[in-house]
Amino acid sequence: MEKKAVAALSFLFLVLFVAQEIVVTEARTCEHLADTYRGPCLTDASCDDHCKNKAHLISGTCHNYKCFCTQNC
């Protein structure tokens, strides 16, 4: 009987430990005008490429022909 109690308690601690590790936090992101992007922003792909490869940020999208980069706040 005592072995079952120890096994159950160990299992409970394991479940609690794993549950704490699974919690996912989502980082806040901020969007700002890409200072170094030249010309009108016509495609999201070109803006995204610029933000990722030249500015080393998360992503980029076009808004009103301007390129905006996304980064963690």
Short mmCIF file of all heavy atoms in Angstrom, two decimals:
data_model
loop_
_atom_site.label_atom_id
_atom_site.label_comp_id
_atom_site.label_asym_id
_atom_site.label_seq_id
_atom_site.Cartn_x
_atom_site.Cartn_y
_atom_site.Cartn_z
N MET A 1 0.83 -1.20 0.00
CA MET A 1 0.00 0.00 0.00
C MET A 1 0.87 1.26 0.00
O MET A 1 0.56 2.22 -0.69
CB MET A 1 -0.92 -0.05 1.22
CG MET A 1 -1.90 1.08 1.28
SD MET A 1 -3.18 0.83 0.07
CE MET A 1 -4.33 2.03 0.57
N GLU A 2 1.94 1.22 0.76
CA GLU A 2 2.81 2.38 0.85
C GLU A 2 3.50 2.66 -0.48
O GLU A 2 3.69 3.82 -0.87
CB GLU A 2 3.87 2.16 1.94
CG GLU A 2 4.68 3.41 2.22
CD GLU A 2 5.64 3.20 3.37
OE1 GLU A 2 5.23 2.66 4.40
OE2 GLU A 2 6.80 3.57 3.19
N LYS A 3 3.85 1.63 -1.25
CA LYS A 3 4.48 1.81 -2.56
C LYS A 3 3.53 2.51 -3.53
O LYS A 3 3.95 3.35 -4.32
CB LYS A 3 4.92 0.46 -3.13
CG LYS A 3 6.13 -0.11 -2.47
CD LYS A 3 6.56 -1.38 -3.16
CE LYS A 3 7.80 -1.96 -2.52
NZ LYS A 3 8.25 -3.17 -3.19
N LYS A 4 2.25 2.16 -3.45
CA LYS A 4 1.27 2.79 -4.32
C LYS A 4 1.13 4.28 -3.98
O LYS A 4 1.01 5.12 -4.88
CB LYS A 4 -0.10 2.11 -4.20
CG LYS A 4 -0.16 0.78 -4.90
CD LYS A 4 -1.56 0.22 -4.83
CE LYS A 4 -1.65 -1.11 -5.56
NZ LYS A 4 -3.00 -1.67 -5.52
N ALA A 5 1.16 4.61 -2.72
CA ALA A 5 1.04 6.01 -2.30
C ALA A 5 2.26 6.81 -2.76
O ALA A 5 2.13 7.94 -3.24
CB ALA A 5 0.88 6.11 -0.79
N VAL A 6 3.44 6.24 -2.62
CA VAL A 6 4.67 6.92 -3.06
C VAL A 6 4.65 7.09 -4.58
O VAL A 6 5.01 8.15 -5.11
CB VAL A 6 5.92 6.14 -2.59
CG1 VAL A 6 7.17 6.70 -3.25
CG2 VAL A 6 6.04 6.19 -1.09
N ALA A 7 4.21 6.04 -5.29
CA ALA A 7 4.15 6.12 -6.75
C ALA A 7 3.14 7.18 -7.19
O ALA A 7 3.40 7.97 -8.11
CB ALA A 7 3.78 4.76 -7.34
N ALA A 8 1.98 7.23 -6.54
CA ALA A 8 0.97 8.21 -6.89
C ALA A 8 1.45 9.62 -6.59
O ALA A 8 1.25 10.55 -7.39
CB ALA A 8 -0.33 7.93 -6.12
N LEU A 9 2.12 9.80 -5.46
CA LEU A 9 2.64 11.11 -5.11
C LEU A 9 3.74 11.54 -6.08
O LEU A 9 3.78 12.70 -6.52
CB LEU A 9 3.17 11.09 -3.67
CG LEU A 9 3.54 12.43 -3.06
CD1 LEU A 9 2.33 13.36 -3.05
CD2 LEU A 9 4.06 12.25 -1.66
N SER A 10 4.59 10.63 -6.46
CA SER A 10 5.65 10.93 -7.43
C SER A 10 5.05 11.32 -8.77
O SER A 10 5.50 12.26 -9.43
CB SER A 10 6.56 9.71 -7.61
OG SER A 10 7.22 9.42 -6.41
N PHE A 11 4.02 10.60 -9.18
CA PHE A 11 3.35 10.91 -10.44
C PHE A 11 2.71 12.30 -10.38
O PHE A 11 2.79 13.07 -11.33
CB PHE A 11 2.29 9.84 -10.75
CG PHE A 11 1.55 10.10 -12.03
CD1 PHE A 11 2.16 9.89 -13.25
CD2 PHE A 11 0.25 10.55 -12.01
CE1 PHE A 11 1.49 10.13 -14.43
CE2 PHE A 11 -0.44 10.80 -13.18
CZ PHE A 11 0.19 10.58 -14.40
N LEU A 12 2.11 12.63 -9.27
CA LEU A 12 1.49 13.94 -9.10
C LEU A 12 2.53 15.06 -9.21
O LEU A 12 2.31 16.06 -9.89
CB LEU A 12 0.76 14.02 -7.75
CG LEU A 12 0.09 15.36 -7.43
CD1 LEU A 12 -1.02 15.64 -8.43
CD2 LEU A 12 -0.44 15.35 -6.03
N PHE A 13 3.67 14.88 -8.56
CA PHE A 13 4.73 15.88 -8.66
C PHE A 13 5.25 16.00 -10.08
O PHE A 13 5.52 17.10 -10.57
CB PHE A 13 5.89 15.55 -7.71
CG PHE A 13 5.61 15.91 -6.28
CD1 PHE A 13 5.76 14.96 -5.29
CD2 PHE A 13 5.20 17.18 -5.93
CE1 PHE A 13 5.51 15.28 -3.97
CE2 PHE A 13 4.95 17.51 -4.62
CZ PHE A 13 5.10 16.55 -3.62
N LEU A 14 5.35 14.89 -10.78
CA LEU A 14 5.81 14.91 -12.16
C LEU A 14 4.83 15.69 -13.04
O LEU A 14 5.23 16.53 -13.85
CB LEU A 14 5.97 13.48 -12.69
CG LEU A 14 6.41 13.37 -14.15
CD1 LEU A 14 7.82 13.90 -14.30
CD2 LEU A 14 6.32 11.93 -14.61
N VAL A 15 3.55 15.43 -12.86
CA VAL A 15 2.53 16.14 -13.64
C VAL A 15 2.57 17.63 -13.35
O VAL A 15 2.50 18.47 -14.26
CB VAL A 15 1.12 15.55 -13.36
CG1 VAL A 15 0.04 16.45 -13.94
CG2 VAL A 15 1.01 14.15 -13.91
N LEU A 16 2.70 18.01 -12.10
CA LEU A 16 2.77 19.43 -11.75
C LEU A 16 4.01 20.10 -12.34
O LEU A 16 3.95 21.23 -12.82
CB LEU A 16 2.73 19.61 -10.23
CG LEU A 16 1.40 19.30 -9.57
CD1 LEU A 16 1.55 19.37 -8.05
CD2 LEU A 16 0.32 20.24 -10.04
N PHE A 17 5.12 19.40 -12.30
CA PHE A 17 6.36 19.95 -12.84
C PHE A 17 6.24 20.16 -14.35
O PHE A 17 6.60 21.21 -14.87
CB PHE A 17 7.54 19.02 -12.53
CG PHE A 17 8.84 19.48 -13.11
CD1 PHE A 17 9.52 20.56 -12.55
CD2 PHE A 17 9.38 18.87 -14.22
CE1 PHE A 17 10.71 21.00 -13.09
CE2 PHE A 17 10.56 19.30 -14.76
CZ PHE A 17 11.23 20.36 -14.19
N VAL A 18 5.70 19.18 -15.05
CA VAL A 18 5.55 19.27 -16.50
C VAL A 18 4.55 20.37 -16.85
O VAL A 18 4.75 21.13 -17.80
CB VAL A 18 5.12 17.91 -17.10
CG1 VAL A 18 4.71 18.06 -18.55
CG2 VAL A 18 6.24 16.90 -16.96
N ALA A 19 3.49 20.50 -16.08
CA ALA A 19 2.49 21.53 -16.34
C ALA A 19 3.09 22.93 -16.23
O ALA A 19 2.72 23.83 -17.00
CB ALA A 19 1.31 21.38 -15.38
N GLN A 20 4.01 23.14 -15.32
CA GLN A 20 4.65 24.44 -15.19
C GLN A 20 5.54 24.74 -16.39
O GLN A 20 5.65 25.87 -16.83
CB GLN A 20 5.50 24.50 -13.93
CG GLN A 20 4.70 24.68 -12.68
CD GLN A 20 5.60 24.79 -11.46
OE1 GLN A 20 6.69 24.24 -11.44
NE2 GLN A 20 5.14 25.51 -10.46
N GLU A 21 6.18 23.73 -16.93
CA GLU A 21 7.08 23.93 -18.05
C GLU A 21 6.34 24.16 -19.37
O GLU A 21 6.89 24.73 -20.29
CB GLU A 21 8.02 22.71 -18.20
CG GLU A 21 8.95 22.51 -17.03
CD GLU A 21 9.87 23.69 -16.82
OE1 GLU A 21 10.40 24.23 -17.81
OE2 GLU A 21 10.06 24.09 -15.66
N ILE A 22 5.10 23.73 -19.46
CA ILE A 22 4.35 23.83 -20.70
C ILE A 22 3.77 25.22 -20.92
O ILE A 22 3.49 25.61 -22.03
CB ILE A 22 3.22 22.76 -20.73
CG1 ILE A 22 3.84 21.38 -20.82
CG2 ILE A 22 2.27 22.99 -21.87
CD1 ILE A 22 2.86 20.25 -20.79
N VAL A 23 3.65 26.01 -19.88
CA VAL A 23 3.07 27.34 -20.00
C VAL A 23 3.86 28.15 -21.02
O VAL A 23 5.07 28.29 -20.92
CB VAL A 23 3.07 28.07 -18.64
CG1 VAL A 23 2.61 29.50 -18.80
CG2 VAL A 23 2.20 27.32 -17.66
N VAL A 24 3.16 28.64 -22.03
CA VAL A 24 3.80 29.39 -23.11
C VAL A 24 3.42 30.86 -22.96
O VAL A 24 2.26 31.20 -22.83
CB VAL A 24 3.32 28.87 -24.48
CG1 VAL A 24 3.90 29.70 -25.60
CG2 VAL A 24 3.67 27.41 -24.64
N THR A 25 4.44 31.69 -22.99
CA THR A 25 4.17 33.12 -22.94
C THR A 25 4.44 33.69 -24.32
O THR A 25 5.43 33.35 -24.96
CB THR A 25 5.06 33.82 -21.90
OG1 THR A 25 6.41 33.58 -22.24
CG2 THR A 25 4.77 33.32 -20.50
N GLU A 26 3.57 34.54 -24.75
CA GLU A 26 3.71 35.17 -26.05
C GLU A 26 4.31 36.56 -25.86
O GLU A 26 3.81 37.36 -25.09
CB GLU A 26 2.35 35.27 -26.72
CG GLU A 26 2.43 35.72 -28.15
CD GLU A 26 1.09 35.64 -28.84
OE1 GLU A 26 0.35 34.69 -28.59
OE2 GLU A 26 0.79 36.57 -29.61
N ALA A 27 5.39 36.80 -26.57
CA ALA A 27 6.06 38.09 -26.46
C ALA A 27 5.22 39.17 -27.14
O ALA A 27 4.59 38.93 -28.16
CB ALA A 27 7.43 38.03 -27.11
N ARG A 28 5.22 40.35 -26.55
CA ARG A 28 4.53 41.48 -27.18
C ARG A 28 5.36 41.95 -28.37
O ARG A 28 6.59 41.92 -28.33
CB ARG A 28 4.38 42.61 -26.19
CG ARG A 28 3.37 42.34 -25.13
CD ARG A 28 3.17 43.52 -24.23
NE ARG A 28 3.68 44.77 -24.82
CZ ARG A 28 3.75 45.91 -24.20
NH1 ARG A 28 3.38 46.00 -22.95
NH2 ARG A 28 4.22 46.99 -24.79
N THR A 29 4.68 42.35 -29.40
CA THR A 29 5.39 42.85 -30.57
C THR A 29 4.98 44.29 -30.85
O THR A 29 3.88 44.71 -30.53
CB THR A 29 5.09 42.00 -31.83
OG1 THR A 29 3.70 41.97 -32.06
CG2 THR A 29 5.62 40.58 -31.66
N CYS A 30 5.91 45.03 -31.43
CA CYS A 30 5.68 46.42 -31.80
C CYS A 30 6.01 46.58 -33.28
O CYS A 30 6.91 45.92 -33.80
CB CYS A 30 6.58 47.35 -31.00
SG CYS A 30 6.28 47.30 -29.24
N GLU A 31 5.30 47.47 -33.93
CA GLU A 31 5.52 47.73 -35.34
C GLU A 31 6.02 49.16 -35.51
O GLU A 31 5.51 50.07 -34.85
CB GLU A 31 4.19 47.54 -36.08
CG GLU A 31 4.32 47.07 -37.48
CD GLU A 31 2.97 46.77 -38.09
OE1 GLU A 31 2.08 47.62 -38.05
OE2 GLU A 31 2.84 45.67 -38.63
N HIS A 32 7.03 49.34 -36.35
CA HIS A 32 7.53 50.69 -36.60
C HIS A 32 7.94 50.83 -38.06
O HIS A 32 8.23 49.85 -38.73
CB HIS A 32 8.71 51.04 -35.67
CG HIS A 32 9.90 50.17 -35.89
ND1 HIS A 32 10.88 50.48 -36.78
CD2 HIS A 32 10.26 48.99 -35.33
CE1 HIS A 32 11.81 49.53 -36.76
NE2 HIS A 32 11.45 48.61 -35.90
N LEU A 33 7.95 52.05 -38.53
CA LEU A 33 8.30 52.35 -39.91
C LEU A 33 9.76 51.97 -40.15
O LEU A 33 10.65 52.30 -39.36
CB LEU A 33 8.10 53.84 -40.18
CG LEU A 33 8.34 54.32 -41.61
CD1 LEU A 33 7.38 53.66 -42.58
CD2 LEU A 33 8.19 55.83 -41.67
N ALA A 34 10.00 51.25 -41.25
CA ALA A 34 11.36 50.85 -41.60
C ALA A 34 12.11 52.06 -42.14
O ALA A 34 11.78 52.59 -43.20
CB ALA A 34 11.32 49.73 -42.63
N ASP A 35 13.11 52.52 -41.40
CA ASP A 35 13.86 53.72 -41.78
C ASP A 35 14.70 53.53 -43.04
O ASP A 35 14.87 54.47 -43.81
CB ASP A 35 14.79 54.14 -40.64
CG ASP A 35 14.03 54.53 -39.38
OD1 ASP A 35 12.87 54.98 -39.51
OD2 ASP A 35 14.60 54.38 -38.28
N THR A 36 15.22 52.33 -43.24
CA THR A 36 16.16 52.11 -44.33
C THR A 36 15.51 51.56 -45.59
O THR A 36 16.21 51.36 -46.59
CB THR A 36 17.28 51.15 -43.88
OG1 THR A 36 16.69 49.94 -43.43
CG2 THR A 36 18.09 51.77 -42.75
N TYR A 37 14.21 51.29 -45.58
CA TYR A 37 13.52 50.80 -46.78
C TYR A 37 13.36 51.95 -47.75
O TYR A 37 12.88 53.03 -47.40
CB TYR A 37 12.15 50.22 -46.40
CG TYR A 37 11.47 49.48 -47.52
CD1 TYR A 37 11.73 48.14 -47.75
CD2 TYR A 37 10.55 50.12 -48.35
CE1 TYR A 37 11.10 47.45 -48.77
CE2 TYR A 37 9.92 49.44 -49.37
CZ TYR A 37 10.20 48.10 -49.58
OH TYR A 37 9.58 47.42 -50.59
N ARG A 38 13.74 51.75 -49.00
CA ARG A 38 13.69 52.81 -50.01
C ARG A 38 12.60 52.52 -51.03
O ARG A 38 12.43 51.39 -51.47
CB ARG A 38 15.04 52.93 -50.74
CG ARG A 38 16.17 53.31 -49.83
CD ARG A 38 16.02 54.76 -49.35
NE ARG A 38 16.99 55.08 -48.33
CZ ARG A 38 16.69 55.57 -47.15
NH1 ARG A 38 15.45 55.79 -46.81
NH2 ARG A 38 17.62 55.85 -46.27
N GLY A 39 11.88 53.55 -51.41
CA GLY A 39 10.85 53.43 -52.43
C GLY A 39 9.51 53.03 -51.83
O GLY A 39 9.39 52.77 -50.64
N PRO A 40 8.47 53.00 -52.70
CA PRO A 40 7.15 52.61 -52.21
C PRO A 40 7.12 51.12 -51.90
O PRO A 40 7.74 50.31 -52.58
CB PRO A 40 6.22 52.95 -53.37
CG PRO A 40 7.09 52.92 -54.58
CD PRO A 40 8.46 53.35 -54.12
N CYS A 41 6.41 50.77 -50.87
CA CYS A 41 6.27 49.36 -50.47
C CYS A 41 5.09 48.78 -51.25
O CYS A 41 3.93 49.08 -50.97
CB CYS A 41 6.04 49.27 -48.96
SG CYS A 41 6.05 47.60 -48.34
N LEU A 42 5.40 47.95 -52.24
CA LEU A 42 4.37 47.40 -53.10
C LEU A 42 3.99 45.97 -52.74
O LEU A 42 2.86 45.55 -52.97
CB LEU A 42 4.81 47.46 -54.56
CG LEU A 42 5.11 48.88 -55.08
CD1 LEU A 42 5.66 48.81 -56.50
CD2 LEU A 42 3.87 49.75 -55.01
N THR A 43 4.94 45.20 -52.19
CA THR A 43 4.64 43.81 -51.83
C THR A 43 5.11 43.54 -50.41
O THR A 43 6.18 44.00 -49.99
CB THR A 43 5.33 42.81 -52.77
OG1 THR A 43 6.74 42.92 -52.64
CG2 THR A 43 4.93 43.04 -54.22
N ASP A 44 4.32 42.77 -49.68
CA ASP A 44 4.70 42.38 -48.32
C ASP A 44 5.98 41.55 -48.32
O ASP A 44 6.78 41.62 -47.40
CB ASP A 44 3.57 41.58 -47.66
CG ASP A 44 2.40 42.46 -47.25
OD1 ASP A 44 2.59 43.68 -47.08
OD2 ASP A 44 1.29 41.91 -47.09
N ALA A 45 6.19 40.79 -49.40
CA ALA A 45 7.38 39.92 -49.47
C ALA A 45 8.66 40.74 -49.46
O ALA A 45 9.63 40.37 -48.78
CB ALA A 45 7.31 39.03 -50.71
N SER A 46 8.70 41.84 -50.21
CA SER A 46 9.92 42.65 -50.26
C SER A 46 10.16 43.33 -48.91
O SER A 46 11.29 43.44 -48.44
CB SER A 46 9.87 43.68 -51.38
OG SER A 46 8.85 44.62 -51.13
N CYS A 47 9.08 43.79 -48.29
CA CYS A 47 9.20 44.43 -46.98
C CYS A 47 9.63 43.42 -45.92
O CYS A 47 10.51 43.69 -45.10
CB CYS A 47 7.86 45.06 -46.61
SG CYS A 47 7.84 45.88 -45.01
N ASP A 48 9.03 42.24 -45.96
CA ASP A 48 9.38 41.18 -45.01
C ASP A 48 10.85 40.79 -45.16
O ASP A 48 11.57 40.64 -44.17
CB ASP A 48 8.47 39.98 -45.24
CG ASP A 48 8.63 38.92 -44.17
OD1 ASP A 48 8.50 39.26 -42.98
OD2 ASP A 48 8.86 37.75 -44.53
N ASP A 49 11.30 40.67 -46.41
CA ASP A 49 12.70 40.32 -46.67
C ASP A 49 13.63 41.40 -46.12
O ASP A 49 14.64 41.11 -45.50
CB ASP A 49 12.91 40.15 -48.17
CG ASP A 49 14.33 39.79 -48.51
OD1 ASP A 49 14.78 38.72 -48.07
OD2 ASP A 49 15.01 40.58 -49.20
N HIS A 50 13.28 42.65 -46.35
CA HIS A 50 14.10 43.76 -45.85
C HIS A 50 14.19 43.73 -44.32
O HIS A 50 15.28 43.84 -43.75
CB HIS A 50 13.52 45.10 -46.31
CG HIS A 50 14.19 46.28 -45.69
ND1 HIS A 50 15.38 46.77 -46.16
CD2 HIS A 50 13.86 47.04 -44.62
CE1 HIS A 50 15.75 47.79 -45.41
NE2 HIS A 50 14.84 47.97 -44.46
N CYS A 51 13.04 43.59 -43.67
CA CYS A 51 13.02 43.62 -42.20
C CYS A 51 13.78 42.45 -41.59
O CYS A 51 14.50 42.61 -40.61
CB CYS A 51 11.58 43.64 -41.69
SG CYS A 51 10.71 45.18 -42.09
N LYS A 52 13.63 41.27 -42.17
CA LYS A 52 14.31 40.09 -41.63
C LYS A 52 15.81 40.11 -41.91
O LYS A 52 16.60 39.82 -41.03
CB LYS A 52 13.70 38.82 -42.22
CG LYS A 52 12.34 38.49 -41.67
CD LYS A 52 11.80 37.22 -42.32
CE LYS A 52 10.45 36.85 -41.76
NZ LYS A 52 9.87 35.68 -42.46
N ASN A 53 16.20 40.43 -43.14
CA ASN A 53 17.60 40.28 -43.54
C ASN A 53 18.45 41.54 -43.35
O ASN A 53 19.63 41.43 -43.05
CB ASN A 53 17.67 39.81 -44.99
CG ASN A 53 17.04 38.45 -45.16
OD1 ASN A 53 17.20 37.58 -44.32
ND2 ASN A 53 16.28 38.29 -46.24
N LYS A 54 17.88 42.69 -43.52
CA LYS A 54 18.67 43.92 -43.39
C LYS A 54 18.58 44.51 -41.98
O LYS A 54 19.57 44.96 -41.42
CB LYS A 54 18.21 44.94 -44.41
CG LYS A 54 18.29 44.46 -45.85
CD LYS A 54 19.31 45.20 -46.63
CE LYS A 54 19.47 44.83 -48.07
NZ LYS A 54 18.84 43.67 -48.62
N ALA A 55 17.39 44.51 -41.42
CA ALA A 55 17.19 45.10 -40.10
C ALA A 55 17.24 44.05 -38.98
O ALA A 55 17.23 44.41 -37.80
CB ALA A 55 15.85 45.84 -40.06
N HIS A 56 17.26 42.77 -39.33
CA HIS A 56 17.34 41.66 -38.37
C HIS A 56 16.18 41.68 -37.37
O HIS A 56 16.39 41.53 -36.17
CB HIS A 56 18.68 41.65 -37.65
CG HIS A 56 19.85 41.65 -38.59
ND1 HIS A 56 20.15 40.58 -39.40
CD2 HIS A 56 20.75 42.61 -38.88
CE1 HIS A 56 21.21 40.87 -40.14
NE2 HIS A 56 21.60 42.10 -39.84
N LEU A 57 14.97 41.88 -37.90
CA LEU A 57 13.78 41.90 -37.06
C LEU A 57 12.89 40.71 -37.39
O LEU A 57 13.27 39.86 -38.20
CB LEU A 57 13.04 43.23 -37.23
CG LEU A 57 13.86 44.45 -36.84
CD1 LEU A 57 13.13 45.73 -37.20
CD2 LEU A 57 14.20 44.43 -35.37
N ILE A 58 11.71 40.64 -36.80
CA ILE A 58 10.85 39.46 -36.93
C ILE A 58 10.20 39.36 -38.30
O ILE A 58 10.26 38.32 -38.95
CB ILE A 58 9.75 39.48 -35.84
CG1 ILE A 58 10.38 39.39 -34.46
CG2 ILE A 58 8.78 38.34 -36.04
CD1 ILE A 58 9.40 39.59 -33.33
N SER A 59 9.55 40.43 -38.75
CA SER A 59 8.84 40.40 -40.02
C SER A 59 8.55 41.82 -40.49
O SER A 59 8.87 42.79 -39.80
CB SER A 59 7.53 39.62 -39.89
OG SER A 59 6.65 40.30 -39.01
N GLY A 60 7.93 41.92 -41.65
CA GLY A 60 7.56 43.22 -42.18
C GLY A 60 6.34 43.13 -43.07
O GLY A 60 6.12 42.11 -43.72
N THR A 61 5.55 44.19 -43.10
CA THR A 61 4.37 44.27 -43.96
C THR A 61 4.21 45.70 -44.48
O THR A 61 4.67 46.65 -43.86
CB THR A 61 3.07 43.89 -43.21
OG1 THR A 61 2.95 44.69 -42.05
CG2 THR A 61 3.06 42.43 -42.81
N CYS A 62 3.53 45.81 -45.62
CA CYS A 62 3.27 47.11 -46.22
C CYS A 62 1.95 47.67 -45.70
O CYS A 62 0.96 46.95 -45.58
CB CYS A 62 3.16 46.98 -47.73
SG CYS A 62 4.68 46.47 -48.54
N HIS A 63 1.96 48.96 -45.39
CA HIS A 63 0.76 49.71 -45.01
C HIS A 63 0.83 51.06 -45.72
O HIS A 63 1.77 51.83 -45.49
CB HIS A 63 0.67 49.94 -43.50
CG HIS A 63 0.64 48.70 -42.68
ND1 HIS A 63 -0.44 47.84 -42.66
CD2 HIS A 63 1.56 48.16 -41.85
CE1 HIS A 63 -0.18 46.84 -41.85
NE2 HIS A 63 1.04 47.01 -41.35
N ASN A 64 -0.13 51.32 -46.58
CA ASN A 64 -0.18 52.60 -47.33
C ASN A 64 1.14 52.89 -48.04
O ASN A 64 1.68 53.99 -47.95
CB ASN A 64 -0.55 53.76 -46.40
CG ASN A 64 -1.93 53.61 -45.81
OD1 ASN A 64 -2.83 53.12 -46.48
ND2 ASN A 64 -2.08 53.98 -44.55
N TYR A 65 1.66 51.90 -48.72
CA TYR A 65 2.89 52.00 -49.52
C TYR A 65 4.13 52.29 -48.68
O TYR A 65 5.15 52.76 -49.19
CB TYR A 65 2.75 53.04 -50.63
CG TYR A 65 1.62 52.72 -51.57
CD1 TYR A 65 0.43 53.45 -51.52
CD2 TYR A 65 1.73 51.68 -52.48
CE1 TYR A 65 -0.62 53.14 -52.38
CE2 TYR A 65 0.68 51.37 -53.33
CZ TYR A 65 -0.50 52.10 -53.28
OH TYR A 65 -1.54 51.80 -54.11
N LYS A 66 4.07 52.02 -47.39
CA LYS A 66 5.23 52.17 -46.51
C LYS A 66 5.51 50.83 -45.85
O LYS A 66 4.60 50.07 -45.54
CB LYS A 66 4.98 53.23 -45.45
CG LYS A 66 4.81 54.62 -46.03
CD LYS A 66 4.53 55.63 -44.96
CE LYS A 66 4.30 57.00 -45.61
NZ LYS A 66 3.90 57.99 -44.63
N CYS A 67 6.79 50.54 -45.62
CA CYS A 67 7.21 49.28 -45.02
C CYS A 67 7.30 49.44 -43.50
O CYS A 67 7.98 50.33 -43.00
CB CYS A 67 8.56 48.86 -45.58
SG CYS A 67 9.22 47.33 -44.89
N PHE A 68 6.60 48.57 -42.78
CA PHE A 68 6.64 48.55 -41.33
C PHE A 68 7.23 47.24 -40.86
O PHE A 68 6.79 46.16 -41.29
CB PHE A 68 5.24 48.74 -40.75
CG PHE A 68 4.72 50.13 -40.86
CD1 PHE A 68 4.12 50.58 -42.02
CD2 PHE A 68 4.85 51.02 -39.79
CE1 PHE A 68 3.65 51.88 -42.14
CE2 PHE A 68 4.38 52.32 -39.88
CZ PHE A 68 3.79 52.75 -41.06
N CYS A 69 8.22 47.32 -39.98
CA CYS A 69 8.87 46.12 -39.41
C CYS A 69 8.27 45.79 -38.04
O CYS A 69 7.88 46.69 -37.29
CB CYS A 69 10.36 46.35 -39.25
SG CYS A 69 11.24 46.58 -40.81
N THR A 70 8.24 44.51 -37.72
CA THR A 70 7.74 44.04 -36.45
C THR A 70 8.91 43.53 -35.61
O THR A 70 9.76 42.81 -36.13
CB THR A 70 6.72 42.89 -36.65
OG1 THR A 70 5.68 43.36 -37.50
CG2 THR A 70 6.13 42.43 -35.34
N GLN A 71 8.94 43.93 -34.34
CA GLN A 71 9.99 43.47 -33.43
C GLN A 71 9.38 43.20 -32.07
O GLN A 71 8.28 43.64 -31.77
CB GLN A 71 11.09 44.51 -33.31
CG GLN A 71 10.67 45.78 -32.59
CD GLN A 71 11.79 46.78 -32.50
OE1 GLN A 71 12.71 46.76 -33.30
NE2 GLN A 71 11.72 47.67 -31.54
N ASN A 72 10.10 42.47 -31.23
CA ASN A 72 9.66 42.26 -29.85
C ASN A 72 9.83 43.56 -29.07
O ASN A 72 10.83 44.25 -29.22
CB ASN A 72 10.48 41.16 -29.17
CG ASN A 72 10.13 39.80 -29.71
OD1 ASN A 72 9.01 39.55 -30.12
ND2 ASN A 72 11.10 38.90 -29.72
N CYS A 73 8.85 43.89 -28.27
CA CYS A 73 8.92 45.12 -27.47
C CYS A 73 9.74 44.91 -26.22
O CYS A 73 9.80 43.87 -25.67
CB CYS A 73 7.52 45.57 -27.05
SG CYS A 73 6.46 45.98 -28.43
#
